[in-house]
Amino acid sequence: MPIKPLFSHGPLPGYRLFFCVLAASALMFVDQRFTRMEQVRAQMSMVVAPIQWVVSVPSDLLNWGSLALSDQQALVDENRRLREQILTLSHRGQRMANLTAENSELRDLLKASERRDIPYITAELLSLDNDPFSHQMVVNRGHRNGAYVGQPVIDASGLVGQITAVSAYSSRVLLLADASHALPVQLNRNGLRFIVQGAGRYNSVNVMYVPDTADIREGDLLTTSGLAGRFPQGYPVARVSEVFHDPGQPFARVTAEPMAQLQRSRHFLLLFPPPRREVDENAWDETLDISAQALRSSFQLSRPDETLPDQALPEPTASPQEVP
């Protein structure tokens, strides 16, 4: 009997390849032009979620086994180290209570709005992308837990990134180190504001468009500025690691190291900052309503020899509280 070849060499495989390429191109075009593919991707993520959980089981078993078979002396050392850390954090917490009370009194004197506590939920790592040009991960929280696209993600040390896709039981997080991720930050020492962009490496980010005369030094802490309305203010992002001044160039080359443990963290917090519209509504006050008569009086005080024509006067408008 003739031996059946393992691979067929007829015209059919070529047609299959052409059909697959055509289908892939059509799916990419539809995904880019239409928003309905997001629902399809979410449904597919629900199907893949059990597979992701099964894939994470071996690592969980390995961690459990290493903990069960740990040496007693190693456990004693770890227990002592954790006790010292608890004592240090307790001391900082006592000082923090005093600083919080002092900050509240100063805000009352300045009539400043009180900062609210930001609610959060915990999340755990499911998988990491193997693509060397993409820095993303999948966590075990979805829209059934309240997760949404654009939600900030932090770990115990600092900002990790933001959610870019949500399914029912899992979410995809774009890490801070990804080259397509950027966010506004401010220098904790003097309040200067910059833009931090990922460099495609876990241990480095770029501080963009820093003037050569800017007061920035190695070791400075960069925190979220809150200006974009997506990341709440005050969370640590990175620490400046290198500042290079090139003579004749308008901008300095500044790199920083992320504060978050992007390659080691397995547990994260998904933050729920207040909506942008609530902040805008609270910013209005009755004293901001300026009438046409007040505008005429201020103009006459500044320029007594000139008169403001009637047609230049703005029509009186209702106060922001009266606008439906």
Side-chain angles (χ1 to χ4, degrees):
M1 296 180 61
I3 299 176
K4 185 177 180 180
L6 184 62
F7 300 101
S8 59
H9 299 281
L12 188 58
Y15 292 135
R16 290 178 180 176
L17 177 61
F18 176 75
F19 176 76
C20 292
V21 171
L22 186 62
S25 302
L27 288 175
M28 288 188 292
F29 176 79
V30 173
D31 188 23
Q32 183 180 7
R33 296 292 181 178
F34 304 99
T35 59
R36 292 188 176 181
M37 291 299 297
E38 296 181 0
Q39 300 178 359
V40 177
R41 190 185 298 110
Q43 297 297 330
M44 293 299 295
S45 299
M46 293 179 58
V47 177
V48 178
I51 301 177
Q52 294 174 340
W53 180 81
V54 171
V55 170
S56 64
V57 168
S59 62
D60 295 338
L61 292 177
L62 182 62
N63 293 332
W64 178 82
S66 61
L67 181 62
L69 301 177
S70 297
D71 186 43
Q72 182 179 3
Q73 185 61 36
L75 295 177
V76 171
D77 295 339
E78 184 179 2
N79 190 12
R80 177 179 55 80
R81 185 173 61 256
L82 292 177
R83 286 180 179 273
E84 294 177 354
Q85 185 177 2
I86 290 174
L87 184 61
T88 303
L89 295 178
S90 177
H91 176 258
R92 292 182 179 179
Q94 295 174 9
R95 293 191 59 191
M96 186 64 66
N98 186 19
L99 293 176
T100 302
E102 183 179 355
N103 189 19
S104 179
E105 294 179 1
L106 293 176
R107 285 183 173 275
D108 291 338
L109 292 175
L110 297 174
K111 301 300 181 181
S113 59
E114 184 180 358
R115 290 187 178 180
R116 303 177 182 177
D117 293 335
I118 298 178
Y120 60 87
I121 58 174
T122 59
E124 190 173 353
L125 177 67
L126 282 180
S127 63
L128 280 171
D129 281 358
N130 296 325
D131 188 358
F133 302 102
S134 177
H135 296 76
Q136 299 184 22
M137 66 179 182
V138 178
V139 295
N140 63 343
R141 298 296 182 186
H143 64 75
R144 292 182 179 270
N145 308 107
Y148 59 91
V149 175
Q151 186 173 15
V153 181
I154 66 171
D155 67 354
S157 302
L159 183 69
V160 173
Q162 60 178 306
I163 294 178
T164 56
V166 179
S167 63
Y169 301 102
S170 63
S171 299
R172 180 169 294 273
V173 180
L174 182 66
L175 298 181
L176 176 67
D178 193 272
S180 62
H181 191 282
L183 75 154
V185 297
Q186 68 179 11
L187 208 60
N188 192 41
R189 179 170 53 87
N190 52 21
L192 291 178
R193 293 185 289 269
F194 305 105
I195 299 294
V196 164
Q197 184 177 6
R201 299 183 299 272
Y202 283 108
N203 60 349
S204 178
V205 293
N206 297 326
V207 186
M208 309 299 293
Y209 309 116
V210 179
D212 192 64
T213 57
D215 183 14
I216 184 171
R217 311 168 188 170
E218 294 183 7
D220 284 343
L221 178 63
L222 298 171
T223 61
T224 53
S225 63
L227 294 181
R230 175 162 296 185
F231 299 97
Q233 181 183 1
Y235 284 89
V237 177
R239 189 175 296 277
V240 177
S241 58
E242 182 183 3
V243 180
F244 179 75
H245 297 278
D246 190 2
Q249 297 296 327
F251 299 107
R253 188 168 68 248
V254 181
T255 57
E257 183 179 358
M259 297 295 296
Q261 306 296 323
L262 300 179
Q263 290 182 290
R264 295 192 292 270
S265 295
R266 294 187 58 88
H267 298 86
F268 308 94
L269 298 180
L270 310 184
L271 304 181
F272 292 89
R276 186 72 176 272
R277 54 182 180 86
E278 293 185 3
V279 179
D280 295 338
E281 291 175 359
N282 296 333
W284 288 101
D285 191 76
E286 295 180 357
T287 58
L288 296 179
D289 186 18
I290 302 177
S291 62
Q293 185 63 29
L295 183 59
R296 178 188 291 274
S297 302
S298 62
F299 186 83
Q300 290 178 354
L301 289 175
S302 61
R303 298 181 181 180
D305 298 334
E306 300 180 10
T307 58
L308 186 65
D310 293 338
Q311 60 270 20
L313 289 175
E315 293 293 335
T317 56
S319 61
Q321 289 79 8
E322 299 176 359
V323 177

